[in-house]
Amino acid sequence: MPELVYPPVIAAAKTMFRVLDLKITVEGAHHVPRTGGAVLASNHVSYLDFIFCGLGAHPAKRLVRFMAKQSVFTHKVSGPLMRGMRHIPVDRRAGAGSYATAVSALRRGEVVGVFPEATISRSFTVKELKSGATRMAQEAGVPVLPVALWGTQRLWTKGRPRTLTRRHTPITILVGEPMDPAGYPDPNAMTADLKKRLDALVDRAQREYPEAPAGPDDRWWLPAHLGGTAPTPEEAAALDRGDRRTSAA
């Protein structure tokens, strides 16, 4: 089936990156296989992460099918684009269908993008991971590649105003070495190792980031352990619990 939507969307995104003069650094893109299925498992700090995670696979000429919540597919603007790019909708109340769709895509040789933290990390550290990414990789017999994103939160993240026209922002994309599911006794062991690898990649991206906060009021985008004013992981977890109670009310 021809790709009628994805290539123009990528071209438009790259044009916008140039207009905004984003300072994008991609390392490790050679780890993305040029053929065959693979799971890209990324940390999650911004509503724009799928765009930049997908950019990490572009040097290998791969299009990534991202798993995203159902509401994005029913939105009048994003819905047609998401469906046209053949991303995978996730209904959190009935996840078996989306899981099966992702495994089928992997077996067909597609690259599937997953955010195993499930929601944006307000602390800008890696939260505990869901095991879906590693379970589907083991079932399909494909590698998992950890991906660290940093700087994207400065454009648009949870609890902060959008600054989509912000210029000259450095964005870091680090693609780690592939993890072979055959080397792990079960998905939980693989998930634990994925968490360690993501922690290390994100820490490296944070410490090597080429910009520092412009002043005390600009420290919100740094994690607390690096001197930022982002919530601690414990504070972020409490905020997430409050969100769930509100949405359930």
Side-chain angles (χ1 to χ4, degrees), residues 39-89:
V39 175
L40 296 187
S42 174
N43 71 313
H44 201 8
V45 293
S46 168
Y47 292 109
L48 304 175
D49 285 340
F50 72 97
I51 297 174
F52 293 99
C53 182
L55 194 64
H58 196 62
K61 296 181 168 49
R62 303 303 302 272
L63 299 177
V64 183
R65 315 300 177 183
F66 283 95
M67 301 185 75
K69 60 185 180 181
Q70 179 72 40
S71 60
V72 181
F73 290 81
T74 56
H75 190 275
K76 63 181 180 180
V77 176
S78 62
L81 291 174
M82 296 295 282
R83 293 189 295 272
M85 289 184 281
R86 302 180 207 161
H87 295 312
I88 301 169

Side-chain angles (χ1 to χ4, degrees), residues 211-223:
E211 280 192 6
D217 293 338
D218 192 40
R219 292 190 295 126
W220 64 267
W221 54 269
L222 275 184

Side-chain angles (χ1 to χ4, degrees), residues 238-249:
L239 290 169
D240 288 344
R241 288 193 294 271
D243 285 349
R244 288 194 290 272
R245 286 194 294 267
T246 301
S247 62

Side-chain angles (χ1 to χ4, degrees), residues 36-42 53 57 62-68 86-88 90 98-99 101-115 132-133 136-137 140 142-145 147:
V39 175
L40 296 187
S42 174
C53 182
R62 303 303 302 272
L63 299 177
V64 183
R65 315 300 177 183
F66 283 95
M67 301 185 75
R86 302 180 207 161
H87 295 312
I88 301 169
V90 177
S98 57
Y99 177 89
T101 298
V103 170
S104 178
L106 290 168
R107 287 174 170 162
R108 291 196 308 271
E110 297 269 21
V111 178
V112 172
V114 180
F115 297 102
M136 66 177 64
V142 302
V144 174
L145 283 75
V147 180

